[in-house]
Amino acid sequence: MVGPVRPKFVLFGSSIVQNSFSNEGRGAILATLYARKADIFLRGYSSWNSRRALQVLDQIFKRDAPIQTSLVIIYFGGNDSVHPHPSGLGPHVPLPEYIENMRKIAMHLKTLSEKTRLIFLSAPPVNEEQIRETLSDKLGELNRTNESCRIYSEACLELCRDLDIKAIDLWTTIQKRDDWLTECFKDGIHFSSEGSKIVVKEIMKVLREAEWEPSLHWKSLPAEFGEDSPYDPVSPDGNTTVNVSEGSFRRNMQWE
């Protein structure tokens, strides 16, 4: 462990999480926003569904860990929603099992610490035509439809309402943008930088509005070693220094 200890945020999910530090993804944006404030950890696993996530949950989030996670942002559902394959292979998880798996994931995470906060992301929409153009030659027929994503998204949101857990309706939010089909995906499934920006804005909205103590919004967290120093850059008056611990880049960011 590298110290001092900062709040730990974990992004837990499938390939949308695994790839979130590339192509200006949401992991990279969050790491920039929370520089000197919190550490962003990726626990993303391409092609995983809620069934596989549940199998390793105790290994990733240990109840006896000396430092517990402050925030977990969870995404599973898109792979679960893929239509079943006749062979029985593949990522499909029947809807009732998906709901129960997500319930078990939520209940485990809620027991880690009274200060561990959760945000669930529902299954986002997909561009079916783009999937066929970009992925069918690599992975064959994926049988992933926008309608199946809607069904699993709504199930996730309903579960979160029942459990009083913060949730973001990605299926609806992404589609509010008029050009979502062409601008929000790299391959019809995984987010482009524009898609990731939408997700970050929604996460920031939740963190800003949540009545959590302490607040986990980036503006509320102190910068590590943020005290004034004579070694900071000298100000124009030549007699004082400028404290740059907060980073001027953050002040102009669009996801307040």
Side-chain angles (χ1 to χ4, degrees), residues 50-62:
S50 63
R51 188 180 292 165
R52 292 193 72 181
L54 193 59
Q55 291 173 348
V56 300
L57 194 62
D58 288 323
Q59 299 175 56
I60 298 173
F61 298 98
K62 298 181 178 180

Side-chain angles (χ1 to χ4, degrees), residues 5-254:
V5 176
R6 303 175 183 176
K8 183 168 73 171
F9 296 178
V10 179
L11 312 183
F12 181 43
S14 55
S15 56
I16 287 177
V17 175
Q18 179 173 322
N19 299 327
S20 64
F21 265 90
S22 61
N23 300 302
E24 299 180 314
R26 63 187 175 93
I29 295 172
L30 290 172
T32 300
L33 273 175
Y34 283 91
R36 297 179 67 163
K37 292 172 176 279
D39 289 327
I40 311 298
F41 291 83
L42 286 189
R43 292 298 181 268
Y45 306 91
S46 289
S47 82
W48 276 33
N49 55 21
S50 63
R51 188 180 292 165
R52 292 193 72 181
L54 193 59
Q55 291 173 348
V56 300
L57 194 62
D58 288 323
Q59 299 175 56
I60 298 173
F61 298 98
K62 298 181 178 180
R63 287 193 175 95
D64 60 352
I67 300 173
Q68 286 295 356
T69 303
S70 298
L71 174 67
V72 188
I73 302 177
I74 305 101
Y75 164 70
F76 291 100
N79 292 328
D80 298 69
S81 75
V82 171
H83 295 173
H85 192 273
S87 68
L89 302 173
H92 171 73
V93 173
L95 186 62
E97 182 188 345
Y98 167 73
I99 296 170
E100 186 58 25
N101 289 346
M102 297 300 281
R103 182 188 302 276
K104 290 177 180 178
I105 290 171
M107 298 312 295
H108 176 88
L109 295 174
K110 289 180 75 170
T111 65
L112 296 177
S113 163
E114 63 180 13
K115 294 294 186 180
T116 296
R117 311 303 185 184
L118 309 180
I119 301 175
F120 275 52
L121 306 179
S122 79
V126 294
N127 182 334
E128 296 175 30
E129 181 178 354
Q130 192 178 14
I131 291 173
R132 287 190 291 270
E133 292 174 352
T134 60
L135 295 175
S136 61
D137 61 330
K138 303 179 182 69
L139 300 175
E141 182 60 51
L142 294 183
N143 291 319
R144 187 188 298 245
T145 66
N146 207 31
E147 176 61 14
S148 65
C149 288
R150 180 191 66 80
I151 293 169
Y152 280 67
S153 172
E154 291 183 355
C156 177
L157 297 172
E158 183 176 355
L159 174 66
C160 289
R161 286 191 290 270
D162 290 344
L163 298 179
D164 192 25
I165 292 173
K166 303 293 183 184
I168 296 172
D169 180 359
L170 289 186
W171 193 86
T172 299
T173 300
I174 295 292
Q175 292 183 88
K176 288 180 179 179
R177 179 164 168 161
D178 292 339
D179 58 357
W180 71 274
L181 280 168
T182 58
E183 298 301 319
C184 289
F185 302 104
K186 297 183 299 179
D187 54 16
I189 297 174
H190 303 97
F191 292 128
S192 65
S193 61
E194 291 303 308
S196 288
K197 289 174 184 176
I198 294 173
V199 180
V200 172
K201 287 180 182 178
E202 292 300 310
I203 292 172
M204 287 301 109
K205 180 180 179 182
V206 171
L207 294 177
R208 183 176 64 251
E209 296 177 354
E211 296 179 355
W212 290 338
E213 291 294 339
S215 171
L216 297 178
H217 190 271
W218 67 272
K219 283 190 173 183
S220 300
L221 294 176
E224 188 174 279
F225 300 125
E227 63 275 5
D228 292 338
S229 169
Y231 307 117
D232 283 336
V234 179
S235 65
D237 63 21
N239 298 312
T240 58
T241 57
V242 179
N243 189 323
V244 294
S245 62
E246 287 290 341
S248 59
F249 65 88
R250 278 192 280 239
R251 288 196 288 270
N252 298 320
M253 287 202 168
Q254 56 189 302

